[in-house]
Amino acid sequence: MKIIPNIRLLIDAAREIGVPVIYVNDSHLPNVDGEFKKWGSHAVRGSHGAMVIDELKPSSSDFIVEKRRYSGFYGTDLYVLLRELNVDTLILTGIHTHICVMHTAADAFYHGYKLIVPSDCVAAFNVDDHNIGLRFMHELYGAEIVNSKDILKRWGAA
Ligand code: ZN
């Protein structure tokens, strides 16, 4: 699944109509984070792996939240930021559908956010993992699973 161009279109449209764009990035402490035992070293804070890829570069009006766990909420200020932005709905994109996206969805659900997941803007290691993630987010957290074009249409951008 090539998600980057789809995410790019969504981000551009969001900026255009003033929907906040928040990057929630893995940013791990070397030799400390427990996740490394499971997945090996990745996205070490300050390294290239913890940076946003060039195709999706943040603009000055976007927000960046660094995380050390699967969920974007755990140990970060994401919840405070969302409250201050008066947000009630989250559109989740990125990787991996059944890991960071789904665990962020779980915490979002606990906090009472409505969830929209464009299935062409999330991806996993394989189709099975991807589909399991989508299914659980829909069944457990009430996420609306859509195509990114549906969101663009709602925003009058497609
Ligand atoms: Zn990680």
Side-chain angles (χ1 to χ4, degrees):
M1 171 72 70
K2 294 236 184 313
I3 63 173
I4 295 170
N6 300 332
I7 295 174
R8 178 70 188 271
L9 286 173
L10 217 47
I11 287 174
D12 287 345
R15 287 179 186 138
E16 195 112 322
I17 62 167
V19 168
V21 175
I22 304 172
Y23 293 79
V24 184
N25 302 336
D26 249 13
S27 178
H28 290 298
L29 299 187
N31 308 316
V32 172
D33 281 13
E35 226 180 73
F36 288 171
K37 286 195 199 89
K38 177 84 182 118
W39 301 104
S41 178
H42 64 277
V44 172
R45 185 166 298 176
S47 77
H48 185 73
M51 293 183 177
V52 178
I53 57 171
D54 283 342
E55 295 97 311
L56 299 176
K57 270 269 171 281
S59 84
S60 55
S61 59
D62 298 337
F63 301 91
I64 296 179
V65 172
E66 293 187 325
K67 71 182 183 66
R68 294 177 49 207
R69 296 294 186 266
Y70 298 156
S71 170
F73 286 90
Y74 191 95
T76 72
D77 68 352
L78 180 58
Y79 182 56
V80 176
L81 175 63
L82 293 172
R83 273 193 330 210
E84 287 171 344
L85 293 171
N86 289 315
V87 163
D88 62 9
T89 303
L90 305 184
I91 300 168
L92 300 180
T93 66
I95 54 172
H96 294 91
T97 315
H98 64 313
I99 310 176
C100 293
V101 179
M102 194 175 87
H103 287 76
T104 300
D107 277 338
F109 172 74
Y110 303 150
H111 285 304
Y113 290 104
K114 279 182 265 171
L115 289 166
I116 300 173
V117 180
S119 60
D120 58 334
C121 293
V122 293
F125 301 116
N126 58 59
V127 176
D128 279 350
D129 290 347
H130 175 72
N131 287 335
I132 284 168
L134 290 178
R135 193 183 127 202
F136 278 9
M137 286 191 280
H138 177 66
E139 288 183 3
L140 304 179
Y141 316 134
E144 186 190 358
I145 310 298
V146 300
N147 188 279
S148 60
K149 290 198 176 55
D150 300 328
I151 300 171
L152 294 174
K153 261 184 229 144
R154 285 177 208 178
W155 288 348

